[in-house]
Amino acid sequence: MSEDLREMLTDAAVREGDVVTGEVTAVDDHGVTVALPHGYEGHISPQELSAVPGTHPSDVVSVGSTVTAQVLKVDMESGHVTLSKRRAEQASAWERMQQLLESGEPIEVEIRDVVKGGLVADVGVRAFIPASLVDRHFVENLEQFKGQKLRAKVIEVDPQKNKLILSRRAVLEEESEARARKLFEELKPGDVIEGTVQRLTDFGAFVDVGGADGLVHISELSFSHVNHPSEVVREGDRVKVRVLRVDPEAGRISLSIKAALPEPWETYAHEFQPGDVVQGVVRRVVDFGAFVELRPGLEGLVHVSQISNEHVDKPSDVLQPGQEVTVRVLSVDPERKRISLSMRDSSQPRGGQGRGGRRDRRPTEPRNEGASGPTLGDLFGDLFK
């Protein structure tokens, strides 16, 4: 080493432990070369670049960028300086993480690695996000987050154990709560909105309506009888719902899918007239008769006295849910939304409706004054017993 270089290095007084700043002049698999003031040339090995082991130098710095590092060793003979970016950042990083823990302010981090049990980021020190704190729901494939920038909160800081734990879920839950508060302020009963089915239960479906989940009770899924929500919707489906009730204090939203659909009476009732003979499906059997679905959501009642020409004690002795039957329309009451049906002598149209729900109207023949039609006793005799 020349006396001039030795004198220059001595005068510059670069000492081990100093924190210096320089410009990156080269990056390769072996590390980073840094041009320092006063003619020094520093080198940072891959191990001293990042708090995350295995990080490639090109993922941390690039030629022309400025880097701050701690002096680990100065070779006075060659003028070579060994540097560490990682150690220069550690002291200030721990201090900053402690401040973020106390303030609750989120931090943006870049995911450098995916390990068993979670994600790893470099914030000057190694930061770990456990898999259970990555999202509000279970995430099966964590690889999708590698290289992404995520917002997370500091939830544990322990410099002595080199332990720093972050939570992305805490940020997501905070954002979700803010959206929910806004949603509860804006939603009103009667509003028709779109949402996404999140999960199904035996009693209904939960639908995300943009910040909060509302419940569509099984009775509000369809105008037709539903045994299980999976018969109508699936998780991930986009659905249109009507808001029934909003309870901000309890955090509950009651929704209805069928209330957002056209009323079956408005859609189908005009198709049926007294005397029509139509096909239907038995949906419910009760003590006083059976409800037959004529169109989706449109049901009529076959009273027990109208099930058969023979006497019937219990409707369930003759009819079962799901059974297809032929019925004659006795009356249609739009105001009360009721249709009365009969299975007695319904095999042949009486100026009524044939197969497939199409009416087969026939010219009315002159009535024989001597002939007698069905009496009230014929139609409703059992009611008076």
Side-chain angles (χ1 to χ4, degrees):
M1 179 180 179
S2 67
E3 290 299 325
D4 291 340
L5 179 57
R6 183 186 297 276
E7 184 178 350
M8 180 183 70
L9 293 177
T10 302
D11 292 342
V14 175
R15 301 287 186 267
E16 293 181 6
D18 288 352
V19 175
V20 296
T21 300
E23 182 180 336
V24 176
T25 58
V27 179
D28 57 31
D29 294 342
H30 303 292
V32 175
T33 302
V34 182
L36 300 173
H38 308 294
Y40 283 95
E41 183 177 86
H43 183 265
I44 308 175
S45 67
Q47 294 78 16
E48 295 297 333
L49 267 174
S50 172
V52 180
T55 302
H56 193 274
S58 61
D59 293 333
V60 182
V61 295
S62 58
V63 174
S65 63
T66 301
V67 63
T68 298
Q70 182 179 354
V71 177
L72 301 182
K73 183 179 179 181
V74 179
D75 188 337
M76 299 301 293
E77 293 297 326
S78 64
H80 182 77
V81 181
T82 303
L83 303 171
S84 173
K85 178 179 179 293
R86 176 177 62 85
R87 300 188 196 188
E89 295 174 341
Q90 279 185 346
S92 60
W94 284 118
E95 184 177 346
R96 185 181 178 219
M97 293 303 108
Q98 184 62 41
Q99 293 173 348
L100 290 174
L101 174 65
E102 295 171 359
S103 68
E105 182 183 349
I107 180 177
E108 185 176 79
V109 299
E110 182 177 347
I111 303 304
R112 294 287 181 82
D113 197 10
V114 178
V115 297
K116 183 178 180 180
L119 307 175
V120 177
D122 181 5
V123 294
V125 292
R126 182 180 184 274
F128 182 64
I129 306 179
S132 60
L133 300 180
V134 171
D135 208 322
R136 297 177 64 201
H137 309 289
F138 174 73
V139 179
E140 185 173 357
N141 179 24
L142 294 177
E143 288 290 340
Q144 60 181 302
F145 296 104
K146 189 171 183 178
Q148 288 192 17
K149 291 184 178 180
L150 307 177
R151 295 177 72 244
K153 284 195 171 187
V154 179
I155 62 173
E156 186 176 348
V157 178
D158 191 341
Q160 300 300 321
K161 296 182 180 180
N162 197 34
K163 186 177 183 181
L164 176 62
I165 305 298
L166 307 180
S167 171
R168 176 174 178 257
R169 189 178 74 183
V171 173
L172 297 178
E173 289 179 344
E174 190 175 84
E175 293 173 347
S176 177
E177 290 172 2
R179 289 194 300 270
R181 285 193 296 270
K182 182 179 180 182
L183 187 67
F184 276 104
E185 293 174 358
E186 297 176 347
L187 274 187
K188 299 291 184 295
D191 289 349
V192 176
I193 55 179
E194 286 193 350
T196 303
V197 178
Q198 294 296 315
R199 56 193 176 95
L200 304 180
T201 66
D202 291 339
F203 54 84
F206 286 92
V207 178
D208 181 358
V209 289
D213 287 354
L215 173 64
V216 180
H217 190 266
I218 190 169
S219 62
E220 294 295 332
L221 284 169
S222 173
F223 287 105
S224 301
H225 178 69
V226 178
N227 292 312
H228 192 272
S230 59
E231 298 174 4
V232 182
V233 294
R234 295 177 299 177
E235 292 182 5
D237 283 355
R238 290 287 295 175
V239 293
K240 184 177 291 186
V241 294
R242 183 181 294 274
V243 179
L244 301 181
R245 289 176 297 278
V246 180
D247 188 345
E249 293 184 2
R252 294 177 181 173
I253 303 173
S254 297
L255 306 170
S256 173
I257 289 179
K258 74 178 185 181
L261 299 173
E263 168 65 48
W265 266 91
E266 298 175 1
T267 306
Y268 304 115
H270 67 278
E271 298 181 9
F272 302 98
Q273 301 295 330
D276 290 352
V277 175
V278 296
Q279 298 293 315
V281 178
V282 176
R283 292 305 182 192
R284 290 176 292 151
V285 179
V286 293
D287 291 340
F288 54 84
F291 288 93
V292 176
E293 186 177 59
L294 306 177
R295 293 288 186 274
L298 184 67
E299 295 181 351
L301 172 66
V302 179
H303 189 267
V304 63
S305 63
Q306 295 298 318
I307 291 177
S308 173
N309 290 324
E310 304 295 332
H311 177 71
V312 176
D313 286 324
K314 294 173 61 179
S316 57
D317 292 338
V318 181
L319 300 172
Q320 298 296 326
Q323 181 178 342
E324 293 187 2
V325 293
T326 301
V327 294
R328 184 187 301 280
V329 178
L330 297 180
S331 65
V332 179
D333 188 344
E335 291 185 4
R336 301 174 68 190
K337 295 184 178 180
R338 294 181 179 178
I339 299 178
S340 297
L341 305 172
S342 174
M343 293 175 59
R344 295 171 59 178
D345 298 324
S346 60
S347 59
Q348 296 296 326
R350 187 183 301 165
Q353 195 170 0
R355 295 177 62 86
R358 294 174 298 181
R359 287 193 295 275
D360 184 14
R361 298 286 182 193
R362 298 179 181 177
T364 304
E365 298 178 359
R367 184 172 180 178
N368 186 346
E369 296 296 334
S372 60
T375 66
L376 289 176
D378 294 331
L379 298 177
F380 303 107
D382 287 353
L383 289 175
F384 300 103
K385 291 182 180 181

